[in-house]
Amino acid sequence: MGKKKDVASLKGDIEITEHTLPLDDLCRQLRTCPLKGLSHAWAKVMSEKEGPNRLTPPKTTPQWVIFIRNVFSYFGILLWIGAILCFIAYAIQASSSETASKDNLWLGLVLTIVVLITGIFSFYQESKSSAIMESFKDLVPQYARVIREGQRLTLKAEEVTIGDLVEVQLGDRIPADIRIVEAKSFKVDNSSLTGESEAQSRGPDCTNENPLETKNLAFFSTNAVEGTAKGIVIRIGDNTVMGRIAGLVSGLDSGETPIAKEIAHFIHIITVVAFGLALALLAAAIALRYHWLDGVIFFIGIIVAWVPEGLLATVTVCLTLTAKRMAKKNCLVKNLEAVETLGSTSAICSDKTGTLTQNRMTVSHLWVEGGIVDAKLNDDCTSVGVAGYNKRDGYQKLVRIAALCSTAEFKGGQDSSVPVMKRDVAGDASEAAILKFVELAEGSAAKIRERFPKICEIPFNSSDKFQLSIHANNMTDKGCHLLVMKGAPERILERCSTIMTNQGEVAMNDKALDAFHDAYLELGSLGERVLGFCDLPLPSCDYPIGYNFNSEEPNFPLTELRFVGLISMLDPPRPTVPDAVAKCRSAGVRVIMVTGDHPITAKAIAKSVGIISPENETIEDIANRLGVPLSEVSPESASAAVVHGGELKELSETELDNVLRNYSEIVFARTSPQQKLQIVEALQKQGAIVAVTGDGVNDSPALKKADIGVAMGITGSDVSKQAADMILLDDNFSTIVAGVEEGRLIFDNLKKSIAYTLTSKIPEVSPFLFFILFDIPLALGSVTILCIDLGTDMVPAISLAYEKSESDIMLRSPRDPKRDRLVNERLISVAYGQVGMIQAVAGFFVYFIIMAENGFLPQDLYGIRPRWESRAVNDLEDSYGQEWTYVARKKLEYTCHTAFFVAIVIVQWADVIICKTRRLSLWDQGMGNWVLNFGLVFETAVAAFLSYTPGMDVALRMQPLKFVWWLPPLPFAVLIMLYDEVRRWLIRRQPGGWVEMETYY
Amino acid sequence: MSDKKGNNDGGFMKFLYNSDTGEVLGRTGMSWLKIIVFYIIFYAGLAAFFGLMLYIFYQTLDINKPKYQLGDSLIGSNPGVGFRPQPDQDKNVDSTLIWFKRGDRDDFKFWSEQLKSYVEEARKTAGKNCDFGADKASDKEACQVIVDEKKFGNCTVATDFGYKDGSPCVLIKLNRIYGWKPEPFGPARFSEAEFKKAIDDKANSDAKFPKILKTAIEKKLQEVNTEAAKEDVAKSVWINCDGENPADRENMGKISYAPMQAIQSFYFPFMKQPNYVSPFIMVQFESVTRGVLINIECKAYAKNIFPDRASRTGSVHFELMVE
């Protein structure tokens, strides 16, 4: 209970207020001093009170407990009971007679080995995915520089306590959550925490209520990348932002995967049936006055026959194969079961940046001489077309400013063969975008810069919002210097008195202003980042060559400039994403965008990739279109919504539920990672199976909580990768969709595989029942059953994982986990009730043939068992009056076992072929699955090997068969194929008809 | 969604009978009817198919002779040996112990009656009168099994087969194998000299070959006159019983064979002739030590019989205990 409450409190948004307090108040509260730090004595007191500054490792289950749990799970218990009974039976037999057969001993050993191998395999799977906490440890700094009583000390990071004054400089990890009191061009990289890759400057001023946005806080385990700073520790250890996330991640229960639930459900059925049947048989055996030991041996026989020993291995191998296939498509699956989870996913909460988009700012539009120009990247990505504007004067000037007013440069050492779009740039994202644009449009930005050497510059600052530089002009003698400026469009406009239009430079007028505003609005509504550009040739008379420009106290004009144009940029969607989103839509998978970005940008991207489809409107759109205030639009009329993180905070659980229910297309913008978790939980409560993408440490709770967490291979932090079930190596949304397809396919194919495996249970169990109920000699032994389950059936069962899908699986809705079970009564009905029965009859047909051809006609077998089994009877008479010794008739019996075994192999040919398809005709499905074709040959070869290899009569009691004894099952194999073809024809002919209702699994 | 929940809430009882939908075990009456009818038709069809297949197969069988014979069949061509009387096959099928109280009719009756009915059965069936050097069994007609009481000494109904006196007779017979004929030791083409030499060699080379048997064979050879009769003697399946261990041999005492120590060759081969009864001999344990369990093994000897204790071919094992 206590733990639950903890997790709930961790889920809330981070509550830090220390950054808003005046520094003096804070120092008084913490009894510290921004210059000298804590006193040693108080530091000791605090240290004792608050404990060490480290992340508490979660309580872990000891490895051996996990191991035991794995070995005794699933069929484990059942097989263990079988194995122990085998050993007991052997012990009793061995003590009562010297010549006891070692059958039960071998059987017990094989069962033990099977259960151990399966257990070890799943243990290995589990232990692989439990390294989340390890990854947090890597984030924690080792040492910290602390000032106490004015002395600089280097302490272990663990010893830092609240109120300590710490010093950090570039290259350090921040040792705790600190409030900055002093900073020199200090920048931190919060990417491990938030996933934002741009370094952020930090200083002593509180700039935002939100602790994650304010500039005067730096967080535990983030990196200092520039400058130095001093700060007061306000949170340590588990209470830090990072600590809370770590606590949340380890406290969250990600729950069972859908496939694990399905397998548990299936095993539940099998176990109940096996025990029920075995106990009924034990009771029957005792009622029929069998010796109790015989009863126990029957019990073992039934369990061995009924439990599909090889099935767990088959399922694991099938999932592994799919995981490998997905890895080839850049989708790395960490937890095998996640392969299928992806297939049942009904909602994907996707990040925007980098996942839906390319995470690469690109110039998309120019506004020049009063017109908006598309900056289209040509198909070969080597040039930019600007639709006839390239000779215009305004355009030429704009490009010149763009090239000059920038500090971005291509990083050295890059070959010119590297495409421009892929080159690395030193500088921020917008400048890089502009630089690349210039490079593509004009050939070389460096040439322009050579012509206009930079003389003076004013870097961008957040209060003025512009950047300026002054260049010498080697080209014209009219003016020696050129002033260029770029920045926020409205701020730039304010400083201009003239504007470039298609009539050349004119004085600023209303018409031009209107045109500017329209363009600015239009570009803004596309979610693009817009920059304004202006310039001014400085008259050479006032500013001669050698003029001493002073950037600290500008001795040149900053107003009355010439406005040239706008350049707008955006992070374009990945080209494959719109298709992928459309695929999701047709596959009934909801795509919800959850991003920290601005609503407008988010919405624009959502629209361009189809997350908000063109025909759908948000209430804002409707209000806009109708020209009425927002409040007058009823929320029901809209089917799309853009929800701001601020609004989300105000929503109650039910309101959020309503939002998710009422709108089919939702974009969550400006959300915090905690809200991501909230959204995931709300979706799960509605029964959805949710996939979530994320890259930051703070995404890891949502990743863990989601049914399938998807981390980003390129930008993702280690912690997020550990918390996730799957890693997208290319960070690409479409990869998820490819994964969904694979996941759905493997679910279908697992069904087929299980149907195939379960079918042979009927011919395996029926000999036992007949042995007990009709007293006929046993037709199939336990050892031969194991040969089928762990030998011949394995490869064909696995090969069904390679089966191609029957129809477009991306056109149907995700499966309803409550109704569409992996193993359902229809599957059982077809496998056990129909095909399995035909197989059993085929087996008995061969059995009767061999018995009859050797002398025992079927009618004479009834009731023969006690004398057949007795060593004392050395002269058992057959239908022709011949008399059989014990050894001779046992040899006959083992020949029957072998033939029955071969019969099962042969009818399993037919079974694996019909299992290829659940609805289509085999004619349409084809036999193109070469792994399956190999499986057919393989199982036959194994059967022949077991039958004909010398020594097998001793090892497995397999006897060589006459060739003709391979033939009797063939008519039954044909019957199975015909029967099932007809069944599937009926399913196709009458969709929703009785045959489909009762037999379509 | 809420409907679904309602169903689940009812739990198992609701699964057994859902009064809202009239479903029993998750199906309505109509649904049950349809699925049951389907399965009845399905299994009827399957049974018919199986029947048809079996019918076709039966056409390939001859009711009078097994499809595979001797080495072709899994029965092989190395017959086992049987004994009578057997312990109760219903209660004690795994036992080979003949255990009775001498003089107590109620007790030994169980054993002697078995032999009596076996002999009576043999008496009832007719057949050719065969003898060494004379008539033999043919494909169509078997030889009459010797039931002449005079030839059986004390192993007759009149003496309760010796059980009354504590000197029980045990019937020994060879397992019937369709078409199997014993082959004499020595070369396939019979000559008395070669046969004797072969027996000699066998007795000298095979430590397990009982010397006493050699004497018995030689004695019998002298008794018959014609070459054909001698050949038949040589072709007979010779039987020898003995205790399994030295102690058993001591406790077993003297034994005698009736009518002779061999199953005569003219009874072979078994060809499923009408009323064929297995030829047999009686082994009488004349002076058994009382109150002791004695392990006895009887082996059959011919060139094509290979006695093996483990697989019980060419031999049989039983225990005897007389109180």
Side-chain angles (χ1 to χ4, degrees):
Chain A
M1 201 57 202
K3 180 154 187 192
K4 239 182 196 170
K5 211 173 149 196
D6 273 3
V7 173
S9 74
L10 289 173
K11 277 181 197 164
D13 262 325
I14 302 150
E15 283 159 22
I16 296 180
T17 51
E18 281 89 339
H19 61 289
T20 57
L21 294 176
L23 188 58
D24 291 345
D25 291 358
L26 179 67
C27 290
R28 215 170 300 127
Q29 237 178 50
L30 301 177
R31 300 175 81 172
T32 186
C33 162
L35 296 172
K36 289 184 165 176
L38 290 175
S39 67
H40 287 296
W42 185 248
K44 207 173 165 197
V45 172
M46 283 307 280
S47 200
E48 268 159 24
K49 189 178 149 211
E50 297 287 333
N53 173 31
R54 64 168 179 228
L55 301 179
T56 319
K59 266 186 222 140
T60 48
T61 328
Q63 293 284 303
W64 65 268
V65 174
I66 300 175
F67 180 75
I68 296 289
R69 215 167 43 204
N70 276 299
V71 169
F72 287 94
S73 66
Y74 294 136
F75 296 125
I77 301 269
L78 209 54
L79 291 178
W80 277 121
I81 291 174
I84 290 166
L85 288 176
C86 282
F87 290 131
I88 293 173
Y90 172 70
I92 293 168
Q93 284 173 330
S95 63
S96 64
S97 123
E98 286 166 27
T99 55
S101 78
K102 292 205 165 62
D103 280 18
N104 283 316
L105 182 64
W106 295 133
L107 207 55
L109 283 176
V110 170
L111 291 182
T112 312
I113 291 169
V114 168
V115 68
L116 277 179
I117 289 178
T118 321
I120 289 169
F121 202 90
S122 54
F123 167 70
Y124 173 69
Q125 284 297 332
E126 193 166 316
S127 62
K128 248 195 345 190
S129 57
S130 63
I132 294 183
M133 285 321 282
E134 299 297 313
S135 63
F136 273 106
K137 278 185 196 144
D138 296 340
L139 292 175
V140 176
Q142 296 291 319
Y143 294 96
R145 279 189 307 284
V146 177
I147 300 171
R148 284 184 186 165
E149 293 184 3
Q151 288 173 290
R152 270 202 182 74
L153 305 168
T154 302
L155 297 180
K156 278 190 182 155
E158 270 185 24
E159 295 167 23
V160 172
T161 191
I162 291 182
D164 261 329
L165 184 64
V166 293
E167 259 192 348
V168 280
Q169 64 184 44
L170 78 155
D172 286 352
R173 285 240 169 91
I174 316 283
D177 287 358
I178 57 173
R179 171 168 172 175
I180 312 285
V181 292
E182 192 186 315
K184 275 196 192 117
S185 58
F186 184 58
K187 277 192 175 176
V188 287
D189 172 10
N190 274 354
S191 62
S192 65
L193 194 59
T194 60
E196 281 172 60
S197 53
E198 269 175 61
Q200 292 162 340
S201 63
R202 284 290 178 261
D205 305 320
C206 171
T207 56
N208 200 316
E209 292 254 319
N210 184 341
L212 287 174
E213 308 244 327
T214 185
K215 281 205 183 297
N216 62 344
L217 288 179
F219 300 104
F220 183 46
S221 84
T222 57
N223 285 316
V225 288
E226 262 184 66
T228 57
K230 278 184 194 168
I232 293 172
V233 174
I234 53 171
R235 295 284 156 93
I236 59 166
D238 293 334
N239 293 324
T240 59
V241 173
M242 186 69 83
R244 285 163 54 102
I245 292 169
L248 187 50
V249 172
S250 60
L252 276 179
D253 185 11
S254 47
E256 258 188 314
T257 58
I259 193 79
K261 278 184 204 149
E262 289 303 320
I263 290 174
H265 170 244
F266 162 57
I267 285 167
H268 188 75
I269 295 176
I270 295 286
T271 313
V272 168
V273 174
F275 265 100
L277 200 65
L279 286 175
L281 211 75
L282 189 64
I286 288 165
L288 291 170
R289 300 202 181 174
Y290 281 95
H291 191 260
W292 68 269
L293 187 62
D294 287 337
V296 170
I297 290 170
F298 298 161
F299 183 83
I300 297 167
I302 287 291
I303 289 189
V304 170
W306 200 263
V307 173
E309 288 88 0
L311 196 86
L312 277 191
T314 308
V315 170
T316 314
V317 172
C318 288
L319 291 176
T320 311
L321 289 172
T322 306
K324 280 199 167 164
R325 204 147 55 194
M326 283 163 81
K328 265 188 209 150
K329 296 183 178 174
N330 286 324
C331 195
L332 198 69
V333 179
K334 284 176 50 206
N335 172 4
L336 265 192
E337 289 168 353
V339 169
E340 191 282 324
T341 312
L342 203 51
S344 12
T345 298
S346 55
I348 302 175
C349 292
S350 176
D351 267 346
K352 180 183 78 70
T353 312
T355 312
L356 296 170
T357 67
Q358 302 177 0
N359 196 17
R360 192 158 58 192
M361 270 294 171
T362 309
V363 171
S364 56
H365 293 101
L366 312 175
W367 181 71
V368 62
E369 294 191 5
I372 292 180
V373 191
D374 254 340
K376 269 213 197 86
L377 195 63
N378 289 353
D379 291 339
D380 54 0
C381 292
T382 54
S383 61
V384 170
V386 283
Y389 271 79
N390 42 358
K391 292 283 175 277
R392 299 282 188 88
D393 190 29
Y395 170 80
Q396 295 284 356
K397 288 199 162 66
L398 183 61
V399 170
R400 188 171 69 190
I401 305 168
L404 297 177
C405 192
S406 164
T407 51
E409 276 174 12
F410 287 109
K411 281 184 184 164
Q414 294 186 95
D415 210 324
S416 58
S417 63
V418 180
V420 173
M421 290 309 286
K422 296 209 168 134
R423 285 188 210 163
D424 280 339
V425 174
D428 76 13
S430 324
E431 292 211 333
I434 294 170
L435 176 64
K436 284 176 180 172
F437 168 72
V438 173
E439 192 80 8
L440 288 174
E442 293 303 307
S444 169
K447 260 185 203 154
I448 302 178
R449 288 181 185 175
E450 251 168 52
R451 243 181 286 155
F452 299 92
K454 191 187 283 177
I455 290 172
C456 168
E457 74 177 317
I458 302 178
F460 183 85
N461 72 59
S462 52
S463 53
D464 293 337
K465 301 208 167 171
F466 70 79
Q467 173 182 1
L468 172 149
S469 58
I470 294 168
H471 300 260
N473 187 347
N474 299 342
M475 296 302 289
T476 58
D477 37 42
K478 191 179 155 204
C480 298
H481 292 100
L482 181 69
L483 180 151
V484 292
M485 183 192 260
K486 79 161 191 263
E490 64 278 14
R491 294 294 185 87
I492 298 294
L493 192 72
E494 283 167 9
R495 297 176 182 274
C496 295
S497 57
T498 61
I499 183 165
M500 287 297 292
T501 68
N502 46 6
Q503 276 101 36
E505 184 177 347
V506 299
M508 198 61 79
N509 55 41
D510 283 351
K511 200 178 141 211
L513 275 177
D514 281 350
F516 165 83
H517 282 299
D518 287 349
Y520 186 29
L521 260 179
E522 187 175 343
L523 294 173
S525 73
L526 293 175
E528 300 184 358
R529 189 188 288 179
V530 189
L531 289 176
F533 291 80
C534 63
D535 69 353
L536 184 69
L538 297 177
S540 55
C541 45
D542 295 341
Y543 305 97
I545 295 170
Y547 181 82
N548 192 14
F549 292 99
N550 184 351
S551 63
E552 298 292 322
E553 291 159 32
N555 50 359
F556 45 82
L558 290 175
T559 55
E560 307 288 301
L561 308 176
R562 172 174 69 184
F563 193 87
V564 178
L566 299 170
I567 293 183
S568 73
M569 286 150 290
L570 93 166
D571 180 11
R574 288 168 179 272
T576 50
V577 167
D579 274 352
V581 171
K583 230 176 184 178
C584 281
R585 193 180 300 276
S586 65
V589 180
R590 258 176 116 176
V591 182
I592 294 172
M593 183 195 278
V594 182
T595 176
D597 230 327
H598 289 279
I600 294 174
T601 321
K603 188 175 158 193
I605 293 291
K607 283 205 156 174
S608 68
V609 299
I611 287 178
I612 294 181
S613 45
E615 68 275 14
N616 280 347
E617 292 178 311
T618 64
I619 47 174
E620 290 85 359
D621 290 336
I622 297 174
N624 248 344
R625 178 164 54 82
L626 302 177
V628 295
L630 261 184
S631 52
E632 283 178 24
V633 182
S634 82
E636 284 81 41
S637 56
S639 55
V642 179
V643 181
H644 191 279
E647 296 167 38
L648 186 55
K649 211 182 262 175
E650 308 297 318
L651 294 180
S652 69
E653 246 176 64
T654 39
E655 281 169 324
L656 176 58
D657 214 44
N658 285 336
V659 168
L660 291 171
R661 220 184 278 285
N662 293 340
Y663 299 105
S664 58
E665 298 170 341
I666 308 178
V667 170
F668 289 98
R670 280 274 164 223
T671 46
S672 70
Q674 274 75 9
Q675 291 175 327
K676 210 175 201 176
L677 181 62
Q678 202 183 335
I679 294 164
V680 170
E681 285 181 328
L683 281 167
Q684 282 177 332
K685 211 176 287 165
Q686 293 181 3
I689 293 186
V690 187
V692 168
T693 69
D695 45 16
V697 170
N698 54 0
D699 286 331
S700 51
L703 289 175
K704 181 120 186 267
K705 181 68 199 176
D707 296 283
I708 177 157
V710 182
M712 298 299 144
I714 302 169
T715 56
S717 59
D718 279 353
V719 174
S720 71
K721 285 180 190 171
Q722 286 296 344
D725 304 292
M726 214 176 78
I727 298 167
L728 295 185
L729 295 179
D730 57 359
D731 290 13
N732 189 346
F733 179 80
S734 352
T735 309
I736 305 180
V737 181
V740 169
E741 199 165 351
E742 289 288 349
R744 288 186 174 191
L745 182 59
I746 196 63
F747 189 79
D748 282 3
N749 284 347
L750 275 181
K751 267 188 183 178
K752 295 175 180 180
S753 198
I754 289 173
Y756 170 79
T757 313
L758 288 189
T759 307
S760 62
K761 292 287 117 192
I762 294 296
E764 285 170 10
V765 169
S766 49
F768 234 84
L769 296 178
F770 282 47
F771 173 71
I772 294 159
L773 299 177
F774 301 121
D775 276 351
I776 62 172
L778 191 59
L780 187 71
S782 300
V783 178
T784 18
I785 289 174
L786 287 181
C787 287
I788 296 168
D789 286 357
L790 300 173
T792 57
D793 266 5
M794 287 289 266
V795 177
I798 291 167
S799 74
L800 283 168
Y802 288 94
E803 200 57 37
K804 65 174 197 270
S805 60
E806 286 176 53
S807 53
D808 195 343
I809 40 181
M810 293 306 274
L811 288 179
R812 61 177 200 227
S813 304
R815 75 184 179 93
D816 175 351
K818 286 207 185 80
R819 280 165 198 241
D820 191 2
R821 313 298 308 245
L822 183 64
V823 174
N824 51 36
E825 63 268 28
R826 271 114 42 215
L827 187 147
I828 297 281
S829 177
V830 172
Y832 284 170
Q834 295 155 38
V835 182
M837 289 296 174
I838 303 179
Q839 294 195 334
V841 171
F844 276 104
F845 182 53
V846 181
Y847 167 82
F848 284 137
I849 283 182
I850 294 182
M851 283 291 188
E853 288 186 343
N854 282 285
F856 290 91
L857 295 176
Q859 61 269 26
D860 294 321
L861 288 173
Y862 177 78
I864 208 174
R865 189 192 62 84
R867 286 167 57 70
W868 182 281
E869 294 294 316
S870 167
R871 275 181 180 276
V873 178
N874 207 33
D875 52 354
L876 185 70
E877 194 174 327
D878 69 12
S879 310
Y880 292 89
Q882 304 186 95
E883 288 170 322
W884 294 67
T885 62
Y886 176 80
V887 172
R889 60 184 187 258
K890 275 289 160 182
K891 195 171 169 188
L892 171 61
E893 181 185 324
Y894 297 143
T895 306
C896 288
H897 291 188
T898 312
F900 203 111
F901 160 73
V902 166
I904 292 180
V905 169
I906 288 172
V907 286
Q908 283 286 72
W909 293 347
D911 192 28
V912 76
I913 289 171
I914 64 164
C915 282
K916 281 162 74 84
T917 138
R918 295 187 296 150
R919 183 185 287 272
L920 281 188
S921 164
L922 182 64
W923 202 255
D924 296 323
Q925 183 75 1
M927 289 294 288
N929 182 348
W930 284 96
V931 182
L932 187 140
N933 298 348
F934 166 76
L936 290 175
V937 175
F938 179 79
E939 66 171 327
T940 314
V942 168
F945 175 82
L946 292 178
S947 171
Y948 296 113
T949 307
M952 279 299 168
D953 53 338
V954 183
L956 298 172
R957 296 206 184 128
M958 295 275 196
Q959 297 286 339
L961 294 183
K962 289 180 199 294
F963 173 71
V964 288
W965 290 338
W966 285 71
L967 306 179
L970 288 176
F972 292 88
V974 173
L975 178 68
I976 289 173
M977 303 244 268
L978 289 179
Y979 169 73
D980 210 64
E981 196 64 33
V982 169
R983 182 180 70 84
R984 276 177 276 125
W985 176 71
L986 288 172
I987 289 177
R988 291 195 302 277
R989 207 185 61 145
Q990 283 185 315
W994 186 83
V995 179
E996 175 161 357
M997 297 279 290
E998 292 292 348
T999 70
Y1000 180 68
Y1001 51 87
Chain B
M1 199 73 185
S2 55
D3 281 4
K4 183 84 184 150
K5 258 198 176 143
N7 270 343
N8 289 342
D9 285 346
F12 188 66
M13 290 312 286
K14 196 130 193 177
F15 173 69
L16 286 181
Y17 178 69
N18 184 342
S19 53
D20 301 342
T21 54
E23 285 174 352
V24 180
L25 297 173
R27 284 175 183 275
T28 60
M30 198 57 201
S31 165
W32 273 116
L33 184 70
K34 280 182 178 169
I35 195 83
I36 288 170
V37 167
F38 164 76
Y39 269 110
I40 288 174
I41 294 172
F42 180 83
Y43 289 135
L46 184 56
F49 186 79
F50 178 65
L52 176 71
M53 286 291 135
L54 214 54
Y55 175 78
I56 294 170
F57 165 65
Y58 264 64
Q59 303 311 304
T60 70
L61 285 183
D62 183 338
I63 204 65
N64 287 315
K65 71 173 195 244
K67 177 153 189 171
Y68 299 118
Q69 295 164 19
L70 296 170
D72 237 9
S73 165
L74 286 158
I75 199 168
S77 51
N78 188 16
V81 176
F83 75 95
R84 293 289 182 280
Q86 283 177 306
D88 191 337
Q89 294 288 291
D90 292 331
K91 287 185 187 150
N92 226 350
V93 74
D94 288 320
S95 165
T96 48
L97 173 62
I98 303 171
W99 180 13
F100 65 96
K101 287 200 185 94
R102 145 189 105 94
D104 181 348
R105 179 169 297 277
D106 287 342
D107 189 70
F108 69 71
K109 197 177 69 185
F110 171 80
W111 308 96
S112 59
E113 290 292 310
Q114 275 190 53
L115 290 180
K116 185 180 163 192
S117 61
Y118 197 96
V119 172
E120 301 280 298
E121 188 71 24
R123 200 193 303 282
K124 261 187 259 167
T125 57
K128 294 196 273 191
N129 281 318
C130 309
D131 202 354
F132 285 138
D135 222 351
K136 293 187 190 17
S138 70
D139 287 5
K140 297 276 172 284
E141 202 180 358
C143 294
Q144 168 77 51
V145 175
I146 299 169
V147 283
D148 185 357
E149 299 221 328
K150 280 176 227 156
K151 292 190 173 171
F152 280 96
N154 286 327
C155 295
T156 60
V157 179
T159 57
D160 288 318
F161 298 95
Y163 285 80
K164 194 167 69 181
D165 308 324
S167 48
C169 297
V170 175
L171 180 151
I172 301 294
K173 62 187 187 57
L174 199 65
N175 280 5
R176 290 190 292 256
I177 294 178
Y178 190 94
W180 185 85
K181 278 188 296 203
E183 290 167 15
F185 290 103
R189 205 181 157 77
F190 178 76
S191 81
E192 193 180 350
E194 298 242 30
F195 175 68
K196 275 185 175 167
K197 187 170 171 291
I199 295 283
D200 266 350
D201 289 349
K202 182 82 183 162
N204 291 335
S205 64
D206 186 353
K208 285 182 185 163
F209 190 84
K211 305 281 178 292
I212 189 170
L213 198 58
K214 191 187 146 207
T215 340
I217 296 171
E218 280 166 357
K219 194 173 151 222
K220 191 70 197 174
L221 272 177
Q222 275 169 10
E223 279 174 22
V224 294
N225 308 322
T226 62
E227 190 70 5
K230 281 181 198 293
E231 185 177 346
D232 284 348
V233 167
K235 276 185 180 170
S236 296
V237 177
W238 292 84
I239 304 287
N240 188 61
C241 296
D242 209 348
E244 276 188 3
N245 309 304
D248 295 324
R249 264 169 238 143
E250 203 166 293
N251 292 328
M252 184 179 74
K254 186 172 176 291
I255 56 174
S256 63
Y257 303 87
M260 60 178 289
Q261 206 180 340
I263 297 171
Q264 289 103 318
S265 57
F266 46 76
Y267 293 108
F268 300 100
F270 163 67
M271 302 291 280
K272 203 166 187 283
Q273 298 96 335
N275 301 322
Y276 188 95
V277 173
S278 280
F280 59 87
I281 63 164
M282 291 287 187
V283 184
Q284 187 168 30
F285 297 85
E286 293 177 7
S287 51
V288 201
T289 310
R290 311 233 164 91
V292 182
L293 186 137
I294 310 162
N295 291 297
I296 292 166
E297 186 176 42
C298 293
K299 290 184 180 173
Y301 293 89
K303 194 182 171 189
N304 56 348
I305 296 179
F306 308 93
D308 176 50
R309 185 176 286 177
S311 70
R312 301 269 169 85
T313 45
S315 71
V316 72
H317 160 99
F318 58 89
E319 299 105 34
L320 193 59
M321 185 144 131
V322 184
E323 279 184 36

